[in-house]
Amino acid sequence: MTRRKQIYEGKAKVLFEGPEPGTIVQYFKDDATAFNNKKKGTVTGKGVLNNRISEHLMIKLNDMGIPTHLIKRLNMREQLIKKVEIIPIEVVVRNIVAGSLAVRLGLKEGDKLSRSIVEFFYKSDELNDPLITEEHITAFDWASTYEMDEIVTMSLRINDFLSGLFFGAGIKLIDFKLEFGRIYSKDEVKIILADEISPDSCRLWDLKTDEKLDKDRFRRDLGNTAEAYQEVARRLGVLPESSNNFTDEKLN
Ligand code: TMP
């Protein structure tokens, strides 16, 4: 981990220079933060599980025509990804009321939305990732109108696909956060899905019991966070049924 040149360290991941130009190695840490770094902790094994889960979901999305930054998983904690110019917005898609939407509008968590809602947040720790509209994004040139059309279309397709995929695993996809980036080739600029899709960036509830199987276990001190992530991985079929140790070398 220390031999390569570190490019960036985020709250849950570290980025290193990749072996070829235009590539990056994305390392998944066990560190967890919430409420913009006010709450900090470690969830043992989280990085290994998120690496696996995100790989699995991005491969599936790629297969159904959503371009992603994933090239391949390298080992238990690392994946090789395409270097992108990150668009500084978080795209949140919501199917059921939860989290900041419930707080902001005084709604009851768990209420179904009559249609999926797409929200945008400006990626800025200093400003606490404020809610913004497409008007801000285009006015400040964070993305063009054309790029935003692409981003919204892709986000809704991802929502449909992932909702079905999780449903098949006995899980309700309540909401999730996506990040997108640009890659430049000779004569075109392409928008691709970046970052990660994992229980850190999604709300996932058990279909029958509504038990939380995501980072809200850490945010709300519910306990058994690693076990919940492991359960998601197991249901998605990315952990062998018999495996009860997610740091097992066999996963490599
Ligand atoms: P929110 O309800 O707190 O706005 O979160 C919406 C979704 O976005 C939820 O699935 C968790 C995810 N999320 C992140 O991935 N990173 C963040 O920094 C925040 C605030 C939320």
Side-chain angles (χ1 to χ4, degrees), residues 3-65:
R3 267 172 293 138
R4 279 174 303 225
K5 188 170 166 230
Q6 185 173 312
I7 298 172
Y8 176 79
E9 175 152 17
K11 294 177 206 134
K13 297 188 289 294
V14 187
L15 301 181
F16 297 96
E17 235 169 38
E20 313 282 341
T23 67
I24 283 183
V25 173
Q26 175 167 255
Y27 176 96
F28 288 78
K29 300 191 279 186
D30 285 346
D31 296 353
T33 66
F35 315 116
N36 196 15
N37 240 337
K38 285 190 199 76
K39 181 180 165 78
K40 288 184 194 166
T42 305
V43 178
T44 305
K46 175 173 83 78
V48 175
L49 291 161
N50 281 354
N51 185 19
R52 275 270 164 168
I53 294 169
S54 195
E55 175 205 18
H56 177 76
L57 299 175
M58 292 232 182
I59 287 175
K60 297 256 180 209
L61 287 169
N62 237 326
D63 286 350
M64 53 85 71

Side-chain angles (χ1 to χ4, degrees), residues 96-111 113 117:
I96 289 177
V97 173
S100 71
L101 175 64
V103 173
R104 194 185 325 128
L105 298 181
L107 302 172
K108 197 166 129 271
E109 207 165 65
D111 280 359
L113 296 164
I117 294 176

Side-chain angles (χ1 to χ4, degrees), residues 47-218:
V48 175
L49 291 161
N50 281 354
N51 185 19
R52 275 270 164 168
I53 294 169
S54 195
E55 175 205 18
H56 177 76
L57 299 175
M58 292 232 182
I59 287 175
K60 297 256 180 209
L61 287 169
N62 237 326
D63 286 350
M64 53 85 71
I66 300 285
T68 81
H69 71 165
L70 180 72
I71 301 170
K72 63 172 179 180
R73 188 171 60 83
L74 296 171
N75 55 47
M76 283 178 47
R77 287 188 182 270
E78 293 176 335
Q79 38 184 253
L80 187 65
I81 58 171
K82 292 177 186 161
K83 187 174 191 167
V84 300
E85 179 182 275
I86 281 284
I87 294 168
I89 62 173
E90 300 195 341
V91 180
V92 170
V93 184
R94 303 181 184 273
N95 300 307
I96 289 177
V97 173
S100 71
L101 175 64
V103 173
R104 194 185 325 128
L105 298 181
L107 302 172
K108 197 166 129 271
E109 207 165 65
D111 280 359
K112 203 169 172 340
L113 296 164
S114 59
R115 49 165 286 186
S116 302
I117 294 176
V118 181
E119 292 177 343
F120 308 108
F121 296 85
Y122 177 47
K123 267 170 73 74
S124 164
D125 284 345
E126 302 83 78
L127 301 174
N128 227 342
D129 294 354
L131 178 71
I132 50 172
T133 70
E134 201 172 317
E135 304 264 306
H136 300 95
I137 297 167
T138 52
F140 300 126
D141 282 330
W142 293 327
S144 68
T145 309
Y146 172 78
E147 287 174 330
M148 288 312 294
D149 286 348
E150 287 261 306
I151 286 172
V152 171
T153 304
M154 274 162 81
S155 299
L156 291 172
R157 280 189 71 204
I158 293 169
N159 183 41
D160 283 347
F161 180 78
L162 291 185
S163 293
L165 189 131
F166 278 117
F167 185 81
I171 292 170
K172 272 190 267 188
L173 179 59
I174 306 299
D175 56 36
F176 59 96
K177 184 262 302 183
L178 300 172
E179 293 186 29
F180 293 89
R182 296 183 189 93
I183 40 174
Y184 295 86
S185 59
K186 269 185 216 79
D187 43 21
E188 61 161 11
V189 188
K190 206 169 136 188
I191 301 278
I192 67 173
L193 180 65
D195 195 47
E196 69 177 285
I197 308 179
S198 72
D200 268 12
S201 62
C202 301
R203 283 198 176 86
L204 305 167
W205 295 1
D206 179 83
L207 199 56
K208 294 207 185 95
T209 66
D210 280 350
E211 187 192 354
K212 295 182 192 339
L213 300 171
D214 56 63
K215 194 173 159 189
D216 272 348
R217 300 206 73 83
F218 169 80

